[in-house]
Amino acid sequence: RKSRMAAAGGPRLGVAGLVVVGLAAAFSVGSKGPAVATSRRAADVADEALLAPSVVGDVKRQLLTLCAAADRGFAASSEARRKIEAVVDDLAAQNPTTNPAEDPGLRRCWKLVYTSAADVSSLNANPLVQCNAIYQDARAWPQVVNVIDTSPRVLGLAPPQIASRVETAARLKVFTDATPKSPTRVTLLFQRLEIEPKKVLGEDLALPSLGFDLPKLPDDFVNAALDLFGTADQPRETPNYFDVRYLDDEFLVIQQASPGGLFVAVAVNDEL
């Protein structure tokens, strides 16, 4: 009987679904009306279980399409940003991770597909340098490294066969230490900045990175800043943090605190 149902494309409810349907059938012996209602409820539960992943997948695909059309946010109009934020709200409502700030799934390499943060989107306004791939690498947690690949903007105007021969690229890395502060919030302490030359005129370089440690502010200054950002309802807290709005095995959405902005990223296995 099972093979006939599978061949006919019948629904696979699993053990829980079969138990619900079985209870509904048993109840129908004594009363036809309640049995019909129970069977319908069982079918509704099964339908929701089957449709939920599909719905989330559709929302993700819609979001990726909008992000691509907005060139990761660099070319987003006000209307495009409103549409993206509305879809993000829909996706965040389906967040499957209850404690994302401490979830091991956050400790991946994430590739940016969209941002509304002014500090990042303004990088591509440089007339000489263009941003290529942008990552947030959290695989060495609690160290989180923000990575920005750059190249001369003029190469983007050259034919591919010429651009590949004279490719010139550099990588910017910002090292931070991450600390979960709540189920959804992660604070960041900036530690170091590095610039790594990658290629010059098509030739791979094996040069050491150029970098420096970021200055540590005096405790009195930090405490004054924390007092400024704290309120009666919200304890004082460094403004360098982000809130995780959605997290699963392949998708991450975070909201930056200061200067503010939305980040949408996908999981990758790139070697950085």
Side-chain angles (χ1 to χ4, degrees):
R1 185 177 178 182
K2 289 181 180 179
S3 61
R4 287 199 300 271
M5 287 181 64
R12 298 179 181 177
L13 300 179
V15 175
L18 291 174
V19 170
V20 173
V21 174
L23 290 173
F27 190 68
S28 67
V29 174
S31 174
K32 183 177 179 181
V36 172
T38 305
S39 297
R40 286 175 179 169
R41 285 196 297 272
D44 290 341
V45 170
D47 287 343
E48 289 178 5
L50 291 170
L51 287 175
S54 176
V55 170
V56 172
D58 289 344
V59 174
K60 288 181 182 178
R61 283 187 288 273
Q62 182 184 8
L63 182 55
L64 287 174
T65 299
L66 291 171
C67 293
D71 187 18
R72 296 176 295 169
F74 295 138
S77 63
S78 298
E79 179 62 22
R81 292 193 189 280
R82 282 193 293 269
K83 288 181 180 179
I84 290 172
E85 289 172 4
V87 177
V88 165
D89 289 341
D90 291 340
L91 185 63
Q94 305 293 328
N95 187 12
T97 309
T98 56
N99 189 8
E102 296 185 348
D103 194 279
L106 184 61
R107 301 165 193 180
R108 289 185 168 92
C109 183
W110 301 97
K111 187 174 183 179
L112 182 78
V113 295
Y114 173 80
T115 183
S116 62
D119 59 334
V120 177
S121 56
S122 62
L123 294 175
N124 220 36
N126 189 310
L128 301 178
V129 178
Q130 66 181 6
C131 292
N132 300 322
I134 300 176
Y135 303 89
Q136 185 180 73
D137 191 353
R139 289 173 290 193
W141 189 271
Q143 183 184 79
V144 177
V145 185
N146 296 319
V147 180
I148 303 174
D149 286 337
T150 64
S151 63
R153 186 171 294 279
V154 68
L155 290 181
L157 305 175
Q161 62 271 24
I162 296 178
S164 61
R165 277 186 252 157
V166 297
E167 182 180 1
T168 300
R171 172 168 287 171
L172 176 68
K173 293 182 177 180
V174 181
F175 294 82
T176 68
D177 284 342
T179 304
K181 288 296 185 180
S182 77
T184 59
R185 179 163 295 179
V186 177
T187 61
L188 297 174
L189 180 62
F190 289 86
Q191 298 285 0
R192 182 172 175 80
L193 175 67
E194 289 185 1
I195 300 175
E196 178 185 355
K198 302 294 291 183
K199 283 189 175 184
V200 172
L201 299 178
E203 296 295 327
D204 292 329
L205 299 177
L207 297 177
S209 300
L210 305 174
F212 57 90
D213 293 333
L214 297 172
K216 303 295 186 297
L217 296 175
D219 289 342
D220 290 343
F221 184 88
V222 173
N223 290 334
L226 293 177
D227 286 334
L228 176 64
F229 285 99
T231 66
D233 299 326
Q234 179 183 4
R236 65 184 195 170
E237 188 172 69
T238 170
N240 299 319
Y241 68 83
F242 63 82
D243 291 316
V244 182
R245 299 190 58 189
Y246 184 91
L247 172 67
D248 64 16
D249 291 341
E250 59 185 12
F251 228 78
L252 171 68
V253 179
I254 63 175
Q255 186 78 39
Q256 180 179 264
S258 178
L262 193 67
F263 291 80
V264 181
V266 295
V268 296
N269 293 317
D270 295 11
E271 294 292 334
L272 303 181

